[in-house]
Amino acid sequence: MYLVSKLMFEKLLRPHIVSLAPYSSARDEYSGSEGIFLDANENPIGSVTAAMYNRYPDPYQHKIKKLLAPIKKVQPENIFLGNGSDEAIDLLIRAFCEPHRDSILILPPTYGMYEVSANINAVKVIKVPLDEQFQIDVPAVKNALEPNTKIIFLCSPNNPSGNLLNREHIVEILESFEGIVLLDEAYIDFCPQASFLPFLEKYPNLVVLQTFSKAWGLAALRLGMAFAHAELVGVLNKIKPPYNINKTTQDLVADSLQYERFKNEMVERIVQQRSFLQEKLSQLPFVEKVFPSDANFLLVRMQKAQEIFEYLLAEKIIVRNRVKVVKDCLRISVGTAEENQILLEKLNNFSE
Ligand SMILES: Cc1ncc(COP(=O)(O)O)c(C=O)c1O
């Protein structure tokens, strides 16, 4: 299996990435923590702040990976950490897709960065819209694939629709597509039983993306996770900037990982508020549909969506205007109980 995967990745990767000699940082050449460090041109005296930030951080974030591996039930070698999941998305495109030749396939409406990253890298984007229920049209995906399609991007729960993609469809894509399947599980903490992490070993072409930005409440720290075959994690490590995760982020995330229970409690509260909002929003006269959600936001179809968006904005309530992406729809993140109450009051006033 290991050899098969290595050969598979070598066939899919851009040839110059396979033969690339990576930058070797000072911390690559000596990774011990004891000694007199005169190798990285750092300031030996200290920092201008009280905390000590004068040394470069661990380029491979061993401490976080050691704490994260048992939580996610994977090996540390299967974890790549990026400056947000957005960094992992960009690195995967850069590793596999030759500009002006290869393509990725996405299923709109979905998270915007897949297309933006591909565009930045001059990589063609094939679009196969999700169906009416925001599910994958598998035959249409198979039909649209081109010989040089390297990555299929799936997002489950999907942003902006909020629903999980049908499991059997994901499996069918994993089993039939010979390239990389990137499954973005940014919102999976709100429905953890649906994660594909347990299938990493079965499908060497699977990359699962998760993030600390949502349920963990650490968006400002910018830490994304890509779980994949060790060989593929090696490739991402080879092409990333040497010290891509800063020390503050590494320290604070390592601390946070001790409190998974607290994250789970926040998730529970948010999910309760989601049901409350779902029910109350559905009762508003101008709301046509609140789409079912497995995430921490709701997609809502309404009459006068644009006007309501502007009205809320004037009231300093900022929701996401998705009318250009899904007809007549706003995407509303679940707030605190107080925030949701205010939102509902304002919406009630609109209808009067
Ligand atoms: C589906 C999806 N993936 C990834 C991200 C970005 O996550 P990060 O903050 O880790 O870059 C988002 C952010 O909204 C998202 O909705």
Side-chain angles (χ1 to χ4, degrees), residues 82-89 110-114 154-160 182 184-187 209-214 218-220 222-225 297 320 331:
N83 185 351
S85 342
D86 290 342
E87 183 176 36
I89 292 169
T110 194
Y111 181 51
M113 277 307 287
Y114 315 140
L154 307 178
C155 186
S156 182
N158 184 48
N159 177 6
L182 184 141
D184 187 341
E185 295 187 346
Y187 300 96
L209 264 196
Q210 295 186 6
T211 180
F212 285 92
S213 299
K214 310 294 175 186
L218 299 171
R222 311 302 302 125
L223 195 68
M225 304 160 254
F297 56 84
R320 192 86 153 114
R331 195 194 68 196

Side-chain angles (χ1 to χ4, degrees), residues 13 42 47 71 104 110 113 117-118 134 152 157 161 180 191 221 224 244 253-254 262 264 304 309 314 322 337 350:
L13 284 163
E42 297 151 333
S47 311
I71 292 176
I104 65 162
T110 194
M113 277 307 287
S117 264
F134 298 117
I152 297 179
S161 52
I180 302 296
C191 48
L221 295 183
N244 60 329
V253 170
F262 186 46
N264 293 337
K304 303 185 185 164
F309 170 75
R322 297 285 79 184
F350 181 81

Side-chain angles (χ1 to χ4, degrees), residues 180-228:
I180 302 296
V181 177
L182 184 141
L183 180 59
D184 187 341
E185 295 187 346
Y187 300 96
I188 203 68
D189 296 271
F190 301 97
C191 48
Q193 71 294 341
S195 177
F196 266 70
L197 267 189
F199 300 100
L200 265 193
E201 257 190 64
K202 184 164 179 192
Y203 300 115
N205 59 337
L206 170 64
V207 179
V208 174
L209 264 196
Q210 295 186 6
T211 180
F212 285 92
S213 299
K214 310 294 175 186
W216 287 89
L218 299 171
L221 295 183
R222 311 302 302 125
L223 195 68
M225 304 160 254
F227 302 94

